[in-house]
Amino acid sequence: MTERDDDIRELFQGARRADTAWTPSFDRVRAGRPRRPAPRGRLLAAAVVTMAAAVVLAVVVRSRAPQVPPDLVPLEVGQLRMPSDFLLDVLGAETLRSVPAIGRSDDWFPALAETKGSQL
Amino acid sequence: MEPRDLEVELERCHPDGFAWAVRCCGGNRSDAEDVLHQAYVKVLDGRARFEGRSSFKTWLFGVIRFTAREQSRAWWSQALRLGGWLRERSDDSLDPAQAAAADDTHGRLREALSRLSKRQAEVLHLVFYQDLTIQEAATVLGMPVGTARTHYERGKTRLRTLLAETVMVR
């Protein structure tokens, strides 16, 4: 600090002298201020803050929930139709989907069964 | 140091301690009173222990500053005080007659200090208001002496400029 700082020093010391009058007593500060019950306004403010926080939390949680993709593709085997399946749409295609019974020739040769006795 | 000696020292430093607490609480006298109470409790309970590495006043100022920072971090409790804030402001301020008397002499200084950086205002307060050396101010603020000296020099220059501007405006 130099003599050139006397102007600043004087300002601060003037403030210090004035502040002394408004300093609470040592005993009062030592004991601590009595706690007042929370006023209604304070409780209301706390409630508003809590509700706002809950709303924000709900929005954030909802926006972060994993999105379920829509069912664009039928996943059941019977419904699945591939692009080349049209090749199977031929005359007599129902025989391709049936299982032949062993021992009954007429299942295998329906045309021959009709002429049974003529050739076999 | 014995508890009785501690209490005597605290009482001796009380006016300066309160002024420093007000500075650490951004000018709020109500918060400053709470912070100072917390600091006294820490000292008398032995949670803050004076080990004689600096003067008692310097050490106490460090405790007050640390306590004020702890308090300001309790943001949730501050949010809960929103409702009572306006009402408490009227309690904290000086009455009109006091304010009028204080306004002319200190209003300019208070306004100018509020426009300095926090560190500059703190260093100037410790040096000019509390009569600490720059070395002691650095200890209180937990910074190197060189840094404190820089804040001191720049703060003085800026304060003079701001005070001159205030005079010209008036």
Side-chain angles (χ1 to χ4, degrees), chain A residues 1 4-5 7 9 11 13-16 18-19 22 24 28-30 32-33 36 39 42 46, chain B residues 7 14 16 18 29-30 33-34 37 40 44 80 87-88 98 106 128-129 131 152 156 160 163:
Chain A
M1 209 170 349
R4 291 185 299 123
D5 301 331
D7 53 339
R9 183 181 174 76
L11 270 175
Q13 289 303 314
R16 180 181 178 144
D19 287 348
W22 317 118
R28 174 178 148 175
V29 175
R30 166 94 168 76
R33 288 192 307 162
R36 286 174 290 185
R42 195 177 299 184
Chain B
E7 203 153 337
H14 175 68
D16 292 341
F18 182 72
R29 294 166 56 86
S30 174
E33 203 171 324
D34 285 343
H37 169 70
Y40 287 173
L44 294 170
L80 291 180
R87 186 168 39 257
E88 286 190 359
Q98 296 164 358
H106 311 130
F128 289 110
Y129 189 106
D131 282 331
Y152 170 75
K156 275 194 312 183
R160 281 206 175 89
L163 288 172

mmCIF file of all heavy atoms in Angstrom, chain A residues 1 4-5 7 9 11 13-16 18-19 22 24 28-30 32-33 36 39 42 46, chain B residues 7 14 16 18 29-30 33-34 37 40 44 80 87-88 98 106 128-129 131 152 156 160 163:
data_model
loop_
_atom_site.group_PDB
_atom_site.id
_atom_site.type_symbol
_atom_site.label_atom_id
_atom_site.label_comp_id
_atom_site.label_asym_id
_atom_site.label_seq_id
_atom_site.Cartn_x
_atom_site.Cartn_y
_atom_site.Cartn_z
ATOM 1 N N MET A 1 0.831 -1.186 0.000
ATOM 2 C CA MET A 1 0.000 0.000 0.000
ATOM 3 C C MET A 1 0.878 1.254 0.000
ATOM 4 O O MET A 1 1.854 1.305 0.726
ATOM 5 C CB MET A 1 -0.888 -0.014 1.251
ATOM 6 C CG MET A 1 -2.164 0.703 1.028
ATOM 7 S SD MET A 1 -3.385 0.496 2.358
ATOM 8 C CE MET A 1 -2.809 -0.788 3.410
ATOM 9 N N ARG A 4 -0.354 6.886 -2.267
ATOM 10 C CA ARG A 4 -1.312 7.190 -3.335
ATOM 11 C C ARG A 4 -2.639 6.478 -3.106
ATOM 12 O O ARG A 4 -3.635 6.803 -3.722
ATOM 13 C CB ARG A 4 -0.721 6.790 -4.690
ATOM 14 C CG ARG A 4 0.450 7.667 -5.111
ATOM 15 C CD ARG A 4 0.919 7.311 -6.497
ATOM 16 N NE ARG A 4 1.377 5.927 -6.579
ATOM 17 C CZ ARG A 4 0.887 5.031 -7.403
ATOM 18 N NH1 ARG A 4 -0.096 5.349 -8.201
ATOM 19 N NH2 ARG A 4 1.365 3.804 -7.429
ATOM 20 N N ASP A 5 -2.616 5.470 -2.227
ATOM 21 C CA ASP A 5 -3.836 4.699 -1.980
ATOM 22 C C ASP A 5 -4.663 5.260 -0.825
ATOM 23 O O ASP A 5 -5.654 4.653 -0.429
ATOM 24 C CB ASP A 5 -3.480 3.240 -1.673
ATOM 25 C CG ASP A 5 -2.724 2.603 -2.814
ATOM 26 O OD1 ASP A 5 -2.939 3.023 -3.966
ATOM 27 O OD2 ASP A 5 -1.920 1.696 -2.546
ATOM 28 N N ASP A 7 -6.727 7.623 -0.671
ATOM 29 C CA ASP A 7 -8.121 7.932 -1.000
ATOM 30 C C ASP A 7 -8.989 6.684 -0.868
ATOM 31 O O ASP A 7 -10.071 6.709 -0.266
ATOM 32 C CB ASP A 7 -8.215 8.511 -2.418
ATOM 33 C CG ASP A 7 -7.529 7.610 -3.451
ATOM 34 O OD1 ASP A 7 -6.672 6.787 -3.061
ATOM 35 O OD2 ASP A 7 -7.881 7.715 -4.642
ATOM 36 N N ARG A 9 -8.212 3.963 0.827
ATOM 37 C CA ARG A 9 -8.177 3.533 2.223
ATOM 38 C C ARG A 9 -9.196 4.312 3.055
ATOM 39 O O ARG A 9 -9.904 3.730 3.881
ATOM 40 C CB ARG A 9 -6.766 3.750 2.762
ATOM 41 C CG ARG A 9 -6.585 3.288 4.169
ATOM 42 C CD ARG A 9 -5.164 3.565 4.637
ATOM 43 N NE ARG A 9 -5.037 3.241 6.044
ATOM 44 C CZ ARG A 9 -4.948 1.999 6.498
ATOM 45 N NH1 ARG A 9 -4.973 0.998 5.683
ATOM 46 N NH2 ARG A 9 -4.842 1.775 7.800
ATOM 47 N N LEU A 11 -11.945 5.710 2.048
ATOM 48 C CA LEU A 11 -13.306 5.251 1.704
ATOM 49 C C LEU A 11 -13.671 3.980 2.479
ATOM 50 O O LEU A 11 -14.753 3.872 3.055
ATOM 51 C CB LEU A 11 -13.390 4.966 0.207
ATOM 52 C CG LEU A 11 -13.810 6.113 -0.713
ATOM 53 C CD1 LEU A 11 -13.718 5.651 -2.162
ATOM 54 C CD2 LEU A 11 -15.231 6.547 -0.398
ATOM 55 N N GLN A 13 -12.274 2.792 5.197
ATOM 56 C CA GLN A 13 -12.329 2.984 6.647
ATOM 57 C C GLN A 13 -13.604 3.704 7.054
ATOM 58 O O GLN A 13 -14.153 3.462 8.135
ATOM 59 C CB GLN A 13 -11.076 3.752 7.111
ATOM 60 C CG GLN A 13 -9.802 2.936 7.037
ATOM 61 C CD GLN A 13 -9.877 1.641 7.840
ATOM 62 O OE1 GLN A 13 -10.327 1.635 8.979
ATOM 63 N NE2 GLN A 13 -9.456 0.538 7.226
ATOM 64 N N GLY A 14 -14.090 4.613 6.197
ATOM 65 C CA GLY A 14 -15.373 5.268 6.468
ATOM 66 C C GLY A 14 -16.502 4.243 6.480
ATOM 67 O O GLY A 14 -17.379 4.274 7.352
ATOM 68 N N ALA A 15 -16.466 3.332 5.525
ATOM 69 C CA ALA A 15 -17.478 2.272 5.482
ATOM 70 C C ALA A 15 -17.382 1.401 6.725
ATOM 71 O O ALA A 15 -18.388 0.998 7.304
ATOM 72 C CB ALA A 15 -17.282 1.422 4.229
ATOM 73 N N ARG A 16 -16.152 1.147 7.144
ATOM 74 C CA ARG A 16 -15.954 0.314 8.323
ATOM 75 C C ARG A 16 -16.535 0.956 9.583
ATOM 76 O O ARG A 16 -17.200 0.305 10.384
ATOM 77 C CB ARG A 16 -14.457 0.074 8.496
ATOM 78 C CG ARG A 16 -14.128 -0.769 9.689
ATOM 79 C CD ARG A 16 -12.636 -0.959 9.824
ATOM 80 N NE ARG A 16 -12.352 -1.744 11.006
ATOM 81 C CZ ARG A 16 -11.380 -2.626 11.103
ATOM 82 N NH1 ARG A 16 -10.590 -2.835 10.077
ATOM 83 N NH2 ARG A 16 -11.181 -3.290 12.203
ATOM 84 N N ALA A 18 -18.937 3.091 9.722
ATOM 85 C CA ALA A 18 -20.406 3.100 9.641
ATOM 86 C C ALA A 18 -20.975 1.706 9.901
ATOM 87 O O ALA A 18 -22.016 1.571 10.549
ATOM 88 C CB ALA A 18 -20.833 3.596 8.273
ATOM 89 N N ASP A 19 -20.270 0.684 9.405
ATOM 90 C CA ASP A 19 -20.786 -0.687 9.557
ATOM 91 C C ASP A 19 -20.796 -1.129 11.009
ATOM 92 O O ASP A 19 -21.612 -1.973 11.393
ATOM 93 C CB ASP A 19 -19.920 -1.664 8.744
ATOM 94 C CG ASP A 19 -20.168 -1.535 7.252
ATOM 95 O OD1 ASP A 19 -21.152 -0.876 6.869
ATOM 96 O OD2 ASP A 19 -19.360 -2.088 6.469
ATOM 97 N N TRP A 22 -24.031 -1.301 12.830
ATOM 98 C CA TRP A 22 -25.064 -2.266 12.419
ATOM 99 C C TRP A 22 -24.622 -3.709 12.599
ATOM 100 O O TRP A 22 -25.270 -4.624 12.111
ATOM 101 C CB TRP A 22 -25.458 -2.027 10.959
ATOM 102 C CG TRP A 22 -25.628 -0.585 10.641
ATOM 103 C CD1 TRP A 22 -24.929 0.152 9.757
ATOM 104 C CD2 TRP A 22 -26.548 0.316 11.260
ATOM 105 N NE1 TRP A 22 -25.350 1.444 9.782
ATOM 106 C CE2 TRP A 22 -26.341 1.577 10.692
ATOM 107 C CE3 TRP A 22 -27.523 0.181 12.253
ATOM 108 C CZ2 TRP A 22 -27.066 2.703 11.077
ATOM 109 C CZ3 TRP A 22 -28.243 1.301 12.632
ATOM 110 C CH2 TRP A 22 -28.021 2.532 12.036
ATOM 111 N N PRO A 24 -24.450 -7.081 14.414
ATOM 112 C CA PRO A 24 -25.168 -7.755 15.504
ATOM 113 C C PRO A 24 -24.197 -8.149 16.605
ATOM 114 O O PRO A 24 -23.012 -8.360 16.343
ATOM 115 C CB PRO A 24 -25.775 -8.981 14.821
ATOM 116 C CG PRO A 24 -24.946 -9.215 13.616
ATOM 117 C CD PRO A 24 -24.444 -7.881 13.172
ATOM 118 N N ARG A 28 -25.491 -12.665 20.208
ATOM 119 C CA ARG A 28 -26.609 -13.023 19.329
ATOM 120 C C ARG A 28 -26.146 -13.979 18.217
ATOM 121 O O ARG A 28 -26.802 -14.978 17.930
ATOM 122 C CB ARG A 28 -27.188 -11.746 18.725
ATOM 123 C CG ARG A 28 -28.266 -12.005 17.687
ATOM 124 C CD ARG A 28 -28.841 -10.717 17.154
ATOM 125 N NE ARG A 28 -29.246 -10.871 15.761
ATOM 126 C CZ ARG A 28 -29.869 -9.938 15.070
ATOM 127 N NH1 ARG A 28 -30.145 -8.778 15.642
ATOM 128 N NH2 ARG A 28 -30.211 -10.139 13.822
ATOM 129 N N VAL A 29 -25.009 -13.649 17.619
ATOM 130 C CA VAL A 29 -24.506 -14.505 16.536
ATOM 131 C C VAL A 29 -24.060 -15.847 17.095
ATOM 132 O O VAL A 29 -24.292 -16.896 16.492
ATOM 133 C CB VAL A 29 -23.346 -13.808 15.798
ATOM 134 C CG1 VAL A 29 -22.729 -14.734 14.758
ATOM 135 C CG2 VAL A 29 -23.841 -12.531 15.140
ATOM 136 N N ARG A 30 -23.434 -15.819 18.257
ATOM 137 C CA ARG A 30 -22.951 -17.048 18.892
ATOM 138 C C ARG A 30 -24.122 -17.995 19.167
ATOM 139 O O ARG A 30 -24.005 -19.208 18.962
ATOM 140 C CB ARG A 30 -22.258 -16.659 20.200
ATOM 141 C CG ARG A 30 -21.979 -17.768 21.159
ATOM 142 C CD ARG A 30 -20.598 -18.299 20.961
ATOM 143 N NE ARG A 30 -20.224 -19.182 22.055
ATOM 144 C CZ ARG A 30 -20.671 -20.423 22.177
ATOM 145 N NH1 ARG A 30 -21.523 -20.910 21.310
ATOM 146 N NH2 ARG A 30 -20.262 -21.181 23.172
ATOM 147 N N GLY A 32 -26.966 -18.007 17.600
ATOM 148 C CA GLY A 32 -27.661 -18.366 16.357
ATOM 149 C C GLY A 32 -29.044 -17.764 16.350
ATOM 150 O O GLY A 32 -29.663 -17.581 17.391
ATOM 151 N N ARG A 33 -29.502 -17.453 15.149
ATOM 152 C CA ARG A 33 -30.832 -16.850 15.025
ATOM 153 C C ARG A 33 -31.897 -17.898 15.300
ATOM 154 O O ARG A 33 -31.742 -19.050 14.859
ATOM 155 C CB ARG A 33 -31.023 -16.282 13.619
ATOM 156 C CG ARG A 33 -30.224 -15.035 13.372
ATOM 157 C CD ARG A 33 -30.647 -14.358 12.115
ATOM 158 N NE ARG A 33 -30.636 -15.277 10.974
ATOM 159 C CZ ARG A 33 -31.272 -15.059 9.856
ATOM 160 N NH1 ARG A 33 -31.983 -13.971 9.705
ATOM 161 N NH2 ARG A 33 -31.209 -15.915 8.860
ATOM 162 N N ARG A 36 -37.384 -19.551 12.441
ATOM 163 C CA ARG A 36 -38.825 -19.312 12.316
ATOM 164 C C ARG A 36 -39.470 -20.474 11.596
ATOM 165 O O ARG A 36 -38.829 -21.105 10.752
ATOM 166 C CB ARG A 36 -39.061 -18.024 11.514
ATOM 167 C CG ARG A 36 -38.748 -16.789 12.306
ATOM 168 C CD ARG A 36 -38.845 -15.575 11.433
ATOM 169 N NE ARG A 36 -37.755 -15.568 10.470
ATOM 170 C CZ ARG A 36 -37.531 -14.561 9.633
ATOM 171 N NH1 ARG A 36 -38.329 -13.511 9.640
ATOM 172 N NH2 ARG A 36 -36.536 -14.603 8.786
ATOM 173 N N PRO A 39 -42.745 -20.209 6.503
ATOM 174 C CA PRO A 39 -43.974 -19.500 6.151
ATOM 175 C C PRO A 39 -44.694 -20.193 5.007
ATOM 176 O O PRO A 39 -44.123 -21.001 4.279
ATOM 177 C CB PRO A 39 -43.467 -18.126 5.719
ATOM 178 C CG PRO A 39 -42.063 -18.348 5.314
ATOM 179 C CD PRO A 39 -41.544 -19.470 6.150
ATOM 180 N N ARG A 42 -43.216 -19.998 1.584
ATOM 181 C CA ARG A 42 -42.051 -20.845 1.369
ATOM 182 C C ARG A 42 -42.476 -22.282 1.055
ATOM 183 O O ARG A 42 -41.934 -22.935 0.167
ATOM 184 C CB ARG A 42 -41.175 -20.805 2.620
ATOM 185 C CG ARG A 42 -39.796 -21.344 2.416
ATOM 186 C CD ARG A 42 -38.956 -21.207 3.659
ATOM 187 N NE ARG A 42 -38.786 -19.813 4.072
ATOM 188 C CZ ARG A 42 -38.034 -19.453 5.089
ATOM 189 N NH1 ARG A 42 -37.398 -20.351 5.794
ATOM 190 N NH2 ARG A 42 -37.915 -18.182 5.411
ATOM 191 N N ALA A 46 -41.875 -24.354 -2.340
ATOM 192 C CA ALA A 46 -41.267 -25.691 -2.333
ATOM 193 C C ALA A 46 -42.139 -26.675 -3.095
ATOM 194 O O ALA A 46 -41.640 -27.505 -3.867
ATOM 195 C CB ALA A 46 -41.071 -26.161 -0.897
ATOM 196 N N GLU B 7 -13.086 -18.217 22.716
ATOM 197 C CA GLU B 7 -14.272 -17.366 22.736
ATOM 198 C C GLU B 7 -13.874 -15.889 22.848
ATOM 199 O O GLU B 7 -14.470 -15.028 22.187
ATOM 200 C CB GLU B 7 -15.183 -17.778 23.898
ATOM 201 C CG GLU B 7 -16.608 -17.370 23.685
ATOM 202 C CD GLU B 7 -17.602 -18.263 24.409
ATOM 203 O OE1 GLU B 7 -17.261 -19.422 24.717
ATOM 204 O OE2 GLU B 7 -18.709 -17.792 24.669
ATOM 205 N N HIS B 14 -14.983 -10.206 16.283
ATOM 206 C CA HIS B 14 -16.368 -10.317 15.814
ATOM 207 C C HIS B 14 -16.785 -9.240 14.804
ATOM 208 O O HIS B 14 -17.323 -9.587 13.734
ATOM 209 C CB HIS B 14 -17.322 -10.337 17.009
ATOM 210 C CG HIS B 14 -18.760 -10.318 16.629
ATOM 211 N ND1 HIS B 14 -19.367 -11.382 15.990
ATOM 212 C CD2 HIS B 14 -19.706 -9.353 16.746
ATOM 213 C CE1 HIS B 14 -20.631 -11.073 15.751
ATOM 214 N NE2 HIS B 14 -20.868 -9.854 16.198
ATOM 215 N N ASP B 16 -15.055 -7.397 12.736
ATOM 216 C CA ASP B 16 -14.359 -7.628 11.463
ATOM 217 C C ASP B 16 -14.847 -8.917 10.806
ATOM 218 O O ASP B 16 -15.011 -8.972 9.581
ATOM 219 C CB ASP B 16 -12.847 -7.722 11.699
ATOM 220 C CG ASP B 16 -12.256 -6.385 12.124
ATOM 221 O OD1 ASP B 16 -12.914 -5.353 11.885
ATOM 222 O OD2 ASP B 16 -11.155 -6.384 12.694
ATOM 223 N N PHE B 18 -17.776 -10.234 11.063
ATOM 224 C CA PHE B 18 -19.103 -10.033 10.487
ATOM 225 C C PHE B 18 -18.998 -9.303 9.145
ATOM 226 O O PHE B 18 -19.667 -9.667 8.170
ATOM 227 C CB PHE B 18 -20.002 -9.253 11.453
ATOM 228 C CG PHE B 18 -21.402 -9.073 10.926
ATOM 229 C CD1 PHE B 18 -22.280 -10.150 10.870
ATOM 230 C CD2 PHE B 18 -21.828 -7.844 10.457
ATOM 231 C CE1 PHE B 18 -23.563 -10.003 10.369
ATOM 232 C CE2 PHE B 18 -23.112 -7.690 9.941
ATOM 233 C CZ PHE B 18 -23.980 -8.768 9.901
ATOM 234 N N ARG B 29 -26.839 -9.545 4.791
ATOM 235 C CA ARG B 29 -26.500 -9.541 6.217
ATOM 236 C C ARG B 29 -27.116 -10.735 6.953
ATOM 237 O O ARG B 29 -26.528 -11.268 7.887
ATOM 238 C CB ARG B 29 -26.969 -8.238 6.854
ATOM 239 C CG ARG B 29 -26.230 -7.011 6.332
ATOM 240 C CD ARG B 29 -26.968 -5.741 6.725
ATOM 241 N NE ARG B 29 -27.175 -5.647 8.165
ATOM 242 C CZ ARG B 29 -26.290 -5.146 9.017
ATOM 243 N NH1 ARG B 29 -25.134 -4.674 8.578
ATOM 244 N NH2 ARG B 29 -26.545 -5.096 10.300
ATOM 245 N N SER B 30 -28.286 -11.143 6.504
ATOM 246 C CA SER B 30 -28.962 -12.270 7.145
ATOM 247 C C SER B 30 -28.165 -13.562 6.940
ATOM 248 O O SER B 30 -27.911 -14.312 7.886
ATOM 249 C CB SER B 30 -30.372 -12.395 6.558
ATOM 250 O OG SER B 30 -30.995 -13.540 7.050
ATOM 251 N N GLU B 33 -24.975 -13.560 8.961
ATOM 252 C CA GLU B 33 -25.142 -13.899 10.379
ATOM 253 C C GLU B 33 -25.169 -15.420 10.546
ATOM 254 O O GLU B 33 -24.564 -15.953 11.479
ATOM 255 C CB GLU B 33 -26.445 -13.262 10.888
ATOM 256 C CG GLU B 33 -26.450 -13.073 12.384
ATOM 257 C CD GLU B 33 -27.635 -12.246 12.851
ATOM 258 O OE1 GLU B 33 -28.031 -11.299 12.129
ATOM 259 O OE2 GLU B 33 -28.151 -12.546 13.939
ATOM 260 N N ASP B 34 -25.872 -16.095 9.635
ATOM 261 C CA ASP B 34 -25.923 -17.565 9.699
ATOM 262 C C ASP B 34 -24.537 -18.170 9.475
ATOM 263 O O ASP B 34 -24.145 -19.102 10.172
ATOM 264 C CB ASP B 34 -26.889 -18.099 8.630
ATOM 265 C CG ASP B 34 -28.334 -17.880 9.019
ATOM 266 O OD1 ASP B 34 -28.604 -17.623 10.210
ATOM 267 O OD2 ASP B 34 -29.207 -17.929 8.128
ATOM 268 N N HIS B 37 -22.354 -17.656 12.476
ATOM 269 C CA HIS B 37 -22.752 -18.562 13.559
ATOM 270 C C HIS B 37 -22.170 -19.955 13.312
ATOM 271 O O HIS B 37 -21.588 -20.572 14.217
ATOM 272 C CB HIS B 37 -24.282 -18.623 13.642
ATOM 273 C CG HIS B 37 -24.786 -19.712 14.528
ATOM 274 N ND1 HIS B 37 -24.653 -19.679 15.902
ATOM 275 C CD2 HIS B 37 -25.399 -20.893 14.240
ATOM 276 C CE1 HIS B 37 -25.174 -20.781 16.418
ATOM 277 N NE2 HIS B 37 -25.634 -21.530 15.436
ATOM 278 N N TYR B 40 -18.489 -19.988 14.028
ATOM 279 C CA TYR B 40 -18.211 -19.990 15.475
ATOM 280 C C TYR B 40 -18.420 -21.384 16.063
ATOM 281 O O TYR B 40 -17.634 -21.852 16.893
ATOM 282 C CB TYR B 40 -19.122 -18.990 16.197
ATOM 283 C CG TYR B 40 -18.774 -17.534 15.972
ATOM 284 C CD1 TYR B 40 -19.600 -16.520 16.447
ATOM 285 C CD2 TYR B 40 -17.623 -17.162 15.294
ATOM 286 C CE1 TYR B 40 -19.294 -15.178 16.245
ATOM 287 C CE2 TYR B 40 -17.305 -15.832 15.086
ATOM 288 C CZ TYR B 40 -18.147 -14.844 15.558
ATOM 289 O OH TYR B 40 -17.836 -13.525 15.354
ATOM 290 N N LEU B 44 -15.614 -23.526 18.013
ATOM 291 C CA LEU B 44 -15.778 -23.883 19.423
ATOM 292 C C LEU B 44 -15.955 -25.388 19.617
ATOM 293 O O LEU B 44 -15.633 -25.924 20.676
ATOM 294 C CB LEU B 44 -16.975 -23.122 20.014
ATOM 295 C CG LEU B 44 -16.747 -21.597 20.071
ATOM 296 C CD1 LEU B 44 -18.030 -20.868 20.427
ATOM 297 C CD2 LEU B 44 -15.642 -21.242 21.058
ATOM 298 N N LEU B 80 -35.651 -23.392 -1.539
ATOM 299 C CA LEU B 80 -36.781 -23.422 -0.618
ATOM 300 C C LEU B 80 -37.034 -22.063 0.026
ATOM 301 O O LEU B 80 -38.100 -21.811 0.548
ATOM 302 C CB LEU B 80 -36.540 -24.457 0.491
ATOM 303 C CG LEU B 80 -36.558 -25.909 0.039
ATOM 304 C CD1 LEU B 80 -36.300 -26.830 1.220
ATOM 305 C CD2 LEU B 80 -37.902 -26.255 -0.587
ATOM 306 N N ARG B 87 -39.594 -11.076 1.726
ATOM 307 C CA ARG B 87 -39.878 -10.613 3.084
ATOM 308 C C ARG B 87 -38.583 -10.411 3.866
ATOM 309 O O ARG B 87 -38.409 -9.445 4.586
ATOM 310 C CB ARG B 87 -40.773 -11.637 3.776
ATOM 311 C CG ARG B 87 -41.246 -11.207 5.142
ATOM 312 C CD ARG B 87 -42.359 -12.092 5.672
ATOM 313 N NE ARG B 87 -42.184 -13.500 5.378
ATOM 314 C CZ ARG B 87 -42.842 -14.146 4.416
ATOM 315 N NH1 ARG B 87 -43.686 -13.507 3.661
ATOM 316 N NH2 ARG B 87 -42.638 -15.434 4.208
ATOM 317 N N GLU B 88 -37.645 -11.337 3.700
ATOM 318 C CA GLU B 88 -36.386 -11.229 4.444
ATOM 319 C C GLU B 88 -35.532 -10.067 3.961
ATOM 320 O O GLU B 88 -34.756 -9.500 4.724
ATOM 321 C CB GLU B 88 -35.596 -12.530 4.324
ATOM 322 C CG GLU B 88 -36.212 -13.629 5.165
ATOM 323 C CD GLU B 88 -35.324 -14.852 5.251
ATOM 324 O OE1 GLU B 88 -34.254 -14.847 4.646
ATOM 325 O OE2 GLU B 88 -35.733 -15.786 5.934
ATOM 326 N N GLN B 98 -31.307 5.293 8.079
ATOM 327 C CA GLN B 98 -29.950 4.743 8.061
ATOM 328 C C GLN B 98 -29.442 4.636 6.627
ATOM 329 O O GLN B 98 -28.293 4.973 6.342
ATOM 330 C CB GLN B 98 -29.947 3.352 8.697
ATOM 331 C CG GLN B 98 -30.313 3.350 10.154
ATOM 332 C CD GLN B 98 -30.669 1.940 10.627
ATOM 333 O OE1 GLN B 98 -30.677 1.002 9.842
ATOM 334 N NE2 GLN B 98 -30.964 1.823 11.903
ATOM 335 N N HIS B 106 -21.283 5.513 1.393
ATOM 336 C CA HIS B 106 -20.835 4.167 1.006
ATOM 337 C C HIS B 106 -21.476 3.632 -0.257
ATOM 338 O O HIS B 106 -21.030 2.612 -0.768
ATOM 339 C CB HIS B 106 -21.123 3.180 2.147
ATOM 340 C CG HIS B 106 -20.648 3.681 3.469
ATOM 341 N ND1 HIS B 106 -21.432 3.702 4.583
ATOM 342 C CD2 HIS B 106 -19.470 4.235 3.821
ATOM 343 C CE1 HIS B 106 -20.752 4.241 5.580
ATOM 344 N NE2 HIS B 106 -19.570 4.567 5.157
ATOM 345 N N PHE B 128 -7.808 -3.065 2.543
ATOM 346 C CA PHE B 128 -8.162 -1.699 2.933
ATOM 347 C C PHE B 128 -9.161 -1.640 4.085
ATOM 348 O O PHE B 128 -9.105 -0.743 4.913
ATOM 349 C CB PHE B 128 -8.728 -0.939 1.733
ATOM 350 C CG PHE B 128 -7.685 -0.617 0.712
ATOM 351 C CD1 PHE B 128 -7.682 -1.239 -0.517
ATOM 352 C CD2 PHE B 128 -6.680 0.311 0.988
ATOM 353 C CE1 PHE B 128 -6.720 -0.947 -1.463
ATOM 354 C CE2 PHE B 128 -5.710 0.608 0.050
ATOM 355 C CZ PHE B 128 -5.720 -0.026 -1.191
ATOM 356 N N TYR B 129 -10.083 -2.582 4.123
ATOM 357 C CA TYR B 129 -11.113 -2.566 5.170
ATOM 358 C C TYR B 129 -10.612 -3.275 6.425
ATOM 359 O O TYR B 129 -10.767 -2.788 7.532
ATOM 360 C CB TYR B 129 -12.370 -3.240 4.640
ATOM 361 C CG TYR B 129 -13.605 -3.137 5.515
ATOM 362 C CD1 TYR B 129 -14.647 -2.280 5.170
ATOM 363 C CD2 TYR B 129 -13.756 -3.920 6.653
ATOM 364 C CE1 TYR B 129 -15.792 -2.195 5.953
ATOM 365 C CE2 TYR B 129 -14.900 -3.843 7.429
ATOM 366 C CZ TYR B 129 -15.905 -2.987 7.074
ATOM 367 O OH TYR B 129 -17.040 -2.907 7.856
ATOM 368 N N ASP B 131 -7.405 -4.199 7.020
ATOM 369 C CA ASP B 131 -6.007 -3.884 7.345
ATOM 370 C C ASP B 131 -5.092 -5.106 7.339
ATOM 371 O O ASP B 131 -4.152 -5.193 8.129
ATOM 372 C CB ASP B 131 -5.903 -3.192 8.716
ATOM 373 C CG ASP B 131 -6.296 -1.738 8.625
ATOM 374 O OD1 ASP B 131 -6.115 -1.132 7.548
ATOM 375 O OD2 ASP B 131 -6.804 -1.198 9.623
ATOM 376 N N TYR B 152 -4.990 -7.212 -6.479
ATOM 377 C CA TYR B 152 -4.939 -5.963 -5.714
ATOM 378 C C TYR B 152 -4.680 -4.779 -6.643
ATOM 379 O O TYR B 152 -5.412 -3.776 -6.604
ATOM 380 C CB TYR B 152 -3.836 -6.112 -4.655
ATOM 381 C CG TYR B 152 -3.458 -4.852 -3.924
ATOM 382 C CD1 TYR B 152 -4.286 -4.319 -2.944
ATOM 383 C CD2 TYR B 152 -2.250 -4.212 -4.196
ATOM 384 C CE1 TYR B 152 -3.925 -3.171 -2.258
ATOM 385 C CE2 TYR B 152 -1.879 -3.068 -3.514
ATOM 386 C CZ TYR B 152 -2.719 -2.558 -2.556
ATOM 387 O OH TYR B 152 -2.362 -1.421 -1.884
ATOM 388 N N LYS B 156 -7.517 -2.017 -7.679
ATOM 389 C CA LYS B 156 -7.380 -0.592 -7.320
ATOM 390 C C LYS B 156 -7.611 0.292 -8.541
ATOM 391 O O LYS B 156 -8.349 1.286 -8.480
ATOM 392 C CB LYS B 156 -5.962 -0.325 -6.781
ATOM 393 C CG LYS B 156 -5.787 -0.607 -5.326
ATOM 394 C CD LYS B 156 -4.497 -0.016 -4.778
ATOM 395 C CE LYS B 156 -3.291 -0.315 -5.621
ATOM 396 N NZ LYS B 156 -2.050 0.194 -5.044
ATOM 397 N N ARG B 160 -10.769 2.884 -8.962
ATOM 398 C CA ARG B 160 -10.614 4.329 -9.153
ATOM 399 C C ARG B 160 -11.395 4.792 -10.385
ATOM 400 O O ARG B 160 -12.055 5.829 -10.353
ATOM 401 C CB ARG B 160 -9.135 4.681 -9.323
ATOM 402 C CG ARG B 160 -8.381 4.739 -8.027
ATOM 403 C CD ARG B 160 -7.153 5.662 -8.126
ATOM 404 N NE ARG B 160 -6.532 5.781 -6.813
ATOM 405 C CZ ARG B 160 -5.600 4.961 -6.352
ATOM 406 N NH1 ARG B 160 -5.177 3.961 -7.104
ATOM 407 N NH2 ARG B 160 -5.100 5.125 -5.151
ATOM 408 N N LEU B 163 -15.114 4.740 -9.549
ATOM 409 C CA LEU B 163 -15.485 5.836 -8.642
ATOM 410 C C LEU B 163 -15.505 7.170 -9.396
ATOM 411 O O LEU B 163 -16.392 8.001 -9.181
ATOM 412 C CB LEU B 163 -14.506 5.896 -7.463
ATOM 413 C CG LEU B 163 -14.637 4.766 -6.446
ATOM 414 C CD1 LEU B 163 -13.484 4.822 -5.439
ATOM 415 C CD2 LEU B 163 -15.970 4.827 -5.724
#
